[in-house]
Amino acid sequence: MSESVYVSECLSRAEKYAELLPQLYSLTADEPELVANLANVSAALKSVFGFFWVGFYFVKGEELVLGPFQGPVACTRFPVSKGVCGAAATRMETVLVPDVDAFPGHIACSSESRSEIVVPLVAAGATRLVLDVDSDLLDDFGPEDQQGLEAIIAMLGKIHFAG
Ligand code: SME
C-alpha cells in the first residue's frame, strides 16, 4: 500500500487528475474506514492542486455535517436545503459555481472563497456525502475538474457504498 502521492507540477490539471486517481485508489482501496480515506483524499487534493479549501460534508438527516477537510476552519453544519453543497446533495449532481456571489443561497464559510465545485456521492438512490472544493480565484473550475473529482467520488462510492 502506498501512503504517499506524487504528481508532477508541470502537468495540466486534467493530467494531474489522471496521475492522481490510481494513486488514490492504492491509498484507499484496502482501508475500510471511510473517514480515514476521506481525510487522505482531502489532503491529496489540497497538496496536488493547492485549492483554498477541500473537504467533505456528510448527509445526516436534513443536515450536512462537516467531515474531513483541508483548509481554513469551516461551517460545521447547515440544512441540506441550503448552499451549493445542499444544491448538489438534493439535485444529486455536480454543481459548478464560477462566482459564489452570484449563487443564491451560497454559504460563505470564508469571505476568501470566490468559486466552488461540489460533487455528490449518490448510492442506493440517496446522497451520502458531498465533496466540496473552494477556490480563492473566480471561475477556477472547469470540465476537467468536474470529470476528475467525479472519478474520485465514483472510486470512493465503489470502495465504501457498493452493494
Ligand atoms: N460554500 C458552501 C459551504 C461550505 S464551505 O464552502 C466549506 C456552500 O455554499 O454550500
Side-chain angles (χ1 to χ4, degrees), residues 39-50:
N40 263 338
V41 169
S42 303
L45 286 169
K46 175 81 170 157
S47 68
V48 169
F49 296 100

Side-chain angles (χ1 to χ4, degrees), residues 53 57 74 78 83-85 106-107 109 116 132 134:
W53 194 92
Y57 281 89
F78 49 87
V84 184
C85 292
H106 167 256
I107 297 166
C109 296
E116 182 164 0
D132 180 17
D134 288 21

Side-chain angles (χ1 to χ4, degrees), residues 63-125:
E63 289 186 313
L64 289 166
V65 181
L66 185 62
F69 71 95
Q70 294 273 313
V73 167
C75 315
T76 306
R77 65 174 71 219
F78 49 87
V80 78
S81 57
K82 300 261 196 268
V84 184
C85 292
T90 54
R91 291 180 203 166
M92 297 187 183
E93 63 185 28
T94 298
V95 177
L96 204 161
V97 179
D99 177 357
V100 294
D101 291 334
F103 187 92
H106 167 256
I107 297 166
C109 296
S110 166
S111 59
E112 290 182 57
S113 177
R114 303 256 57 91
S115 57
E116 182 164 0
I117 183 169
V118 182
V119 181
L121 193 161
V122 179

